[in-house]
Amino acid sequence: MARAPATTTRRWKLPSLEGSSFALVFLGLPLAIYVIFVISPFVQAFYYSMTDWSGFSKKMNFVGLANYVTLLTDPVFTKAVYNSIVLVVVLPPLVIILSVTLATLVTIGGVTRGEIQGLKHSGIYRVISFFPYTVPAIVIGILWAQMYDPSSGLLNGILTALGFDFFKSFAWLGDERTAMGASIFVIAWSMVGFYMVLFIAAIKGIPAEVYEAARVDGAGRFRTAISITVPMIRDNIRTAYVYLGILALDAFVYMQALNPSGGPANSTVVISQHLLNTAFKKGKFGYATSMGATLAVITLVFAALVFFVFWWTGRPPKSKPAAIVAAPAFRSVPIATPTKPVAQFEHPVAKRTIWTDKTVATISHIALIAWVVIICAPLLWVLMSSFKTTQQIFASPFTLPTSFNFDNYVSAWTSASIGTYFFNTVIVVGFALAIVMLLGSMCAYYLARYEFRGSKIIYYLMLAGLTFPIFLAVVPLFQTLRGFGLLNTFPGLILTYVAFALPFTVFFLYAFFRTLPQEIAEAAMIDGAGPWRIFFTIMLPMAKPGIASVAIFNFLGLWNQFLLPIALNTNTANYVLSQGMASFASQAGYAVNFGALFAAVVITVLPVLVTYIIFQRQLQGSVQTGMLK
């Protein structure tokens, strides 16, 4: 094959008229789906928020800002705003502090022999810590609701066994003093592992010489973490803070599973819960949409505030010399031309102290083992309970099952219709994943490799979809699907899944396609290959690593989706697993078959957990290569 000479232009010109079908399919089709099912509902939402639309008729009157004025006197909404502020203030710092601490212990907590080393067997901690992220949020809520159960929950049982009789029948989610704190802990439990892996990847990107120079200067572990690690992963912390803040402002799934009624005295109700109830139970779609618009504004203000604070605090001082934290990064002379062997770097600063490297490593192992226990205990308790009857769970909730009886699994699969929900989920997720990966890769490729007017606008329009709160679009999206005759159907749910997964897919693969060598494709063009053949036979195979990583992330997100199906798929026969689990868990309170419920939890979690374990190296590698860009 002939090889084209190197070119100075990074991106190609648009194909000629004969390639118009290429542009129409690669860019037009995914963009049309995105605009119809994402952009259009968000735009419509702001108009609906200024009407008195009931949602069940086409008639609506324009009321201007009346809905927003009413929000100010709505006691449930004001309480929801207060709860959201509490979540934003508490949750992001809590998760980031825990995840950075654990990531630091894993990466630089090992015994040193002249260089900074990670803990031995740290991969085990990393893999297990990621487990909660693979579990659907609705299942996490159901699981911890049972953990907090006053009579048979694991938490009260452990506290009572330790001698704290006060907690024998304590209702963690039923007490106004503890309901919010207990809910925040559950969300943190589910998110720390993911951000721990993110920060591990970021810390590993810091040059080892920086840490070794700090060791030569006499910096201890704590000072090294505060003065080097945290400042050098500052951008990653900022990104994590924004995403966690958005999650805190829209914690619907967790709160709905833990306290569907909003908790005692609305102590855990959030804006999205109140919105859903107002729209679909009270028939006030216009008023409900004003809540979504308000939530969108709050989200944007929060993100802007975070970026401003990080920018303001990150400015270098005007009159003071460079901070000491930056000094190690520029100490290249001792590192490049050491006068002593590397193994002797520790000796100039060795001190008589109990905080030896071995002691630090031991403490790191103890802390990480404690975290692993906190993660695994609820999952193992659910697994054990899935082999017990309801009577055995209430009588002896903490003992091992007397036998491995699979009756609960049979009951969950058949009587509770988990089998039907499972196959529904396989159909919806399978088709949605295949379509979004095909359309997303085509769109990302076209935007990354072709130069045309408006390409940047389209790209940033795609990125905007990553920040839109889905709840703002739920009400108009409901009407859009109904207008197309796709409401309560698999095709409607699949198209919606595809539309909302496109921004992440395009964002990730756009950067990946731009890094691929352009000369190979240009050589194929000289040999007569058209744009279709170049993409499917050359560029797409070269992008397999990135596509596989995005596919795994999309699979996790689509399998665990709860909000879109619960709002747009109300036909019981078409329920997906997350809906079926929520319905099963809410049946008749204590009359529900808890053994079958726990078996259903295992069935729901197992496919995702197995997928993660098989592909965990590639998944965590993609965090380093893609999520950190």
Side-chain angles (χ1 to χ4, degrees), residues 301-319:
V301 170
F302 166 78
L305 184 62
V306 170
F307 276 99
F308 174 78
V309 170
F310 272 81
W311 170 80
W312 180 265
T313 57
R315 297 186 308 165
K318 294 181 179 179
S319 58

Side-chain angles (χ1 to χ4, degrees), residues 152-379:
S152 63
L154 180 61
L155 182 58
N156 284 353
I158 293 174
L159 293 174
T160 304
L162 293 175
F164 299 99
D165 294 335
F166 173 77
F167 294 102
K168 187 174 183 179
S169 299
F170 187 77
W172 291 91
L173 297 174
D175 193 306
E176 190 175 352
R177 298 169 298 175
T178 58
M180 179 57 80
S183 302
I184 290 174
F185 176 83
V186 172
I187 303 175
W189 180 87
S190 70
M191 299 306 300
V192 166
F194 173 78
Y195 288 99
M196 173 184 170
V197 172
L198 178 71
F199 292 135
I200 286 174
I203 293 172
K204 284 185 175 180
I206 300 175
E209 292 84 357
V210 176
Y211 287 111
E212 291 172 9
R215 300 277 291 172
V216 172
D217 287 347
R221 299 296 184 110
F222 181 78
R223 183 183 174 192
T224 299
I226 297 298
S227 300
I228 294 179
T229 303
V230 172
M232 296 196 75
I233 63 170
R234 178 187 181 86
D235 289 342
N236 306 103
I237 293 176
R238 179 188 60 192
T239 302
Y241 207 106
V242 171
Y243 278 111
L244 284 167
I246 294 174
L247 171 68
L249 289 170
D250 186 16
F252 166 77
V253 180
Y254 295 98
M255 296 306 189
Q256 185 71 12
L258 291 168
N259 256 324
S261 60
N266 291 318
S267 57
T268 63
V269 69
V270 290
I271 297 174
S272 46
Q273 273 183 298
H274 188 36
L275 185 155
L276 200 68
N277 291 332
T278 302
F280 293 96
K281 292 184 178 180
K282 298 181 180 179
K284 298 180 179 180
F285 277 59
Y287 180 55
T289 309
S290 68
M291 299 179 193
T294 304
L295 179 59
V297 172
I298 293 174
T299 302
L300 292 175
V301 170
F302 166 78
L305 184 62
V306 170
F307 276 99
F308 174 78
V309 170
F310 272 81
W311 170 80
W312 180 265
T313 57
R315 297 186 308 165
K318 294 181 179 179
S319 58
K320 295 182 180 180
I324 192 171
V325 299
F330 299 98
R331 294 182 57 90
S332 58
V333 175
I335 301 303
T337 57
T339 58
K340 296 181 180 181
V342 174
Q344 297 182 10
F345 275 8
E346 290 182 271
H347 297 322
V349 295
K351 298 179 181 179
R352 295 288 182 180
T353 174
I354 61 172
W355 299 107
T356 62
D357 288 341
K358 187 174 182 180
T359 302
V360 171
T362 301
I363 294 175
S364 298
H365 277 295
I366 293 173
L368 287 163
I369 290 172
W371 174 245
V372 166
V373 170
I374 293 174
I375 289 175
C376 292
L379 301 176

Side-chain angles (χ1 to χ4, degrees), residues 44-99:
Q44 292 177 52
F46 285 98
Y47 174 74
Y48 290 151
S49 69
M50 293 184 285
T51 70
D52 61 356
W53 183 42
S54 66
F56 302 106
S57 67
K58 295 183 179 180
K59 292 183 179 181
M60 63 180 75
N61 298 311
F62 185 80
V63 296
L65 299 178
N67 288 332
Y68 294 93
V69 174
T70 305
L71 289 177
L72 299 176
T73 58
D74 184 340
V76 179
F77 179 78
T78 53
K79 181 65 175 178
V81 171
Y82 172 80
N83 292 338
S84 297
I85 293 174
V86 171
L87 284 167
V88 166
V89 171
V90 176
L91 184 64
L94 175 63
V95 172
I96 288 175
I97 290 172
L98 285 174
S99 54

Side-chain angles (χ1 to χ4, degrees), residues 198-199 201-202 236 622-629:
L198 178 71
F199 292 135
N236 306 103
S622 69
V623 171
Q624 185 171 3
T625 58
M627 299 296 284
L628 299 178
K629 289 184 178 180

